[in-house]
Amino acid sequence: MSTHTYAERYVTAVARAVPASARDEIVAEVEASIADQVEPLLEAGRPRDEAERAVVAELGEPRAYAASLTDRPMHLIGPRYYAAWLRVLKVLLAVVLPFAALGVTVGTLLQGGDTGAVIGAIIVTVLQAGVHVAFWTTLVFFILERTGSTGDTVLDWNPDMLPQTQARGAAASDFVATVVMAVILGGAFAWDRFIGWGDDNVHLLASELWPVYAVGFLVVLGLTVVVAGIVLAHGRWTVGLAAANAVLAAITVVFGLMLTWQDRVLAPDFLALFGPAQATVAVILKAVFSAILLGVLLTSAIDPFRRVRRG
């Protein structure tokens, strides 16, 4: 269970929603305001946790409160529903767009499309899906506001919805997770090459990946662990470390996509197990591999920089 108080979590949420140039001043103002309002409640005998919860509940949704402090307009939907609209829109885009891209990739490949056709279909589909998601989400909130809905269920905000604050230091669990991932991937790669899978010792990956590409992949895995170790020792992500992590991911993804679309990843003996359906299976696996690689690139390129910004 988190040890961060409602006040700390609220201040952190407000700080993320205000311009960096005014952040220190606004944070100090919000902290002082909360402390001034909490003190009388403590003197009245209320527990600190209960008192802080009551105060931040009175202040309201942190993005809306931050906007009131900085005079930033929130009129696309209206101040009442803007924060809820933005939160729902972000979640829908994060869920819908990747699945739309994967679906159109598989469909285009099954129809015999080449690499150019796949890329073109992905771009068009993602743009169309994004426009539809944004339009229909906005329309729903427009109707809610104009019909006087109170939004007594999913739209109500309360202090328990505050995000947990993150320690400035990188969590040891992140480093452990990176090491475990590297060991599993590197071990699986080596196992496939030297032992194989099942009673028949089937090799999933093509032997031509060794030694150049395989060793290069293992080196990149090792460097990823090194970056994670430096982050842990340094106590936080920096722009340089985030960039290094993104570069390592980009190298893996570029070579991975190149080898995948050149049909140099899967072993012929493995595909032969599927008989007449091996061509279809190969196409589906290429689409799946591509989606996974692109997901790795997006995660590695975005998440560390988000942590730098939050830090």
Side-chain angles (χ1 to χ4, degrees):
M1 180 176 294
S2 172
T3 59
H4 296 292
T5 65
Y6 283 111
E8 290 173 331
R9 292 159 59 191
Y10 192 86
V11 170
T12 300
V14 171
R16 292 173 181 170
V18 299
S21 58
R23 185 169 298 153
D24 292 341
E25 179 181 351
I26 290 175
V27 165
E29 178 183 341
V30 175
E31 288 176 339
S33 176
I34 293 176
D36 289 342
Q37 297 177 65
V38 167
E39 190 63 31
L41 299 180
L42 295 178
E43 293 177 353
R46 297 181 68 172
R48 175 170 289 277
D49 192 60
E50 180 182 325
E52 289 189 358
R53 189 184 190 284
V55 169
V56 300
E58 184 67 24
L59 292 177
E61 209 285 332
R63 286 195 188 93
Y65 183 64
S68 70
L69 296 176
T70 56
D71 294 327
R72 298 174 69 183
M74 298 179 73
H75 303 321
L76 179 61
I77 296 297
R80 182 181 183 186
Y81 289 124
Y82 179 84
W85 166 81
L86 184 61
R87 186 163 58 244
V88 172
L89 181 61
K90 286 181 177 180
V91 171
L92 289 177
L93 290 175
V95 172
V96 173
L97 297 189
F99 279 101
L102 178 59
V104 74
T105 298
V106 173
T108 305
L109 291 174
L110 291 176
Q111 293 176 3
D114 56 15
T115 303
V118 170
I119 295 175
I122 289 176
I123 293 174
V124 172
T125 301
V126 168
L127 288 176
Q128 290 178 342
V131 169
H132 278 285
V133 168
F135 173 78
W136 292 110
T137 303
T138 304
L139 179 62
V140 169
F141 279 91
F142 176 86
I143 294 173
L144 285 174
E145 187 169 22
R146 267 61 181 181
T147 56
S149 170
T150 59
D152 290 332
T153 55
V154 299
L155 300 181
D156 273 359
W157 181 87
N158 64 75
D160 295 323
M161 297 168 62
L162 285 169
Q164 298 291 346
T165 57
Q166 297 180 356
R168 290 180 62 84
S173 58
D174 289 344
F175 174 72
V176 173
T178 302
V179 173
V180 170
M181 177 200 69
V183 170
I184 291 175
L185 291 177
F189 213 86
W191 185 283
D192 181 85
R193 174 66 179 90
F194 298 108
I195 299 177
W197 309 94
D199 296 335
D200 296 329
N201 301 112
V202 177
H203 301 284
L204 304 183
L205 303 177
S207 59
E208 66 176 286
L209 294 177
W210 290 81
V212 177
Y213 294 111
V215 172
F217 175 68
L218 295 177
V219 169
V220 169
L221 278 181
L223 291 176
T224 302
V225 173
V226 171
V227 170
I230 295 175
V231 172
L232 180 62
H234 190 66
R236 63 185 178 88
W237 282 95
T238 64
V239 173
L241 290 171
N245 193 72
V247 169
L248 291 174
I251 292 173
T252 303
V253 171
V254 168
F255 279 95
L257 289 175
M258 179 190 72
L259 294 171
T260 296
W261 289 98
Q262 291 178 350
D263 295 318
R264 299 167 62 186
V265 172
L266 297 175
D269 292 343
F270 167 67
L271 292 175
L273 297 175
F274 297 93
Q278 61 178 294
T280 301
V281 171
V283 169
I284 294 175
L285 290 178
K286 284 199 294 186
V288 172
F289 288 165
S290 299
I292 293 174
L293 289 170
L294 291 174
V296 169
L297 178 60
L298 289 175
T299 302
S300 300
I302 295 176
D303 186 62
F305 284 104
R306 288 180 61 187
R307 298 193 183 194
V308 170
R309 179 175 176 272
R310 290 180 177 180

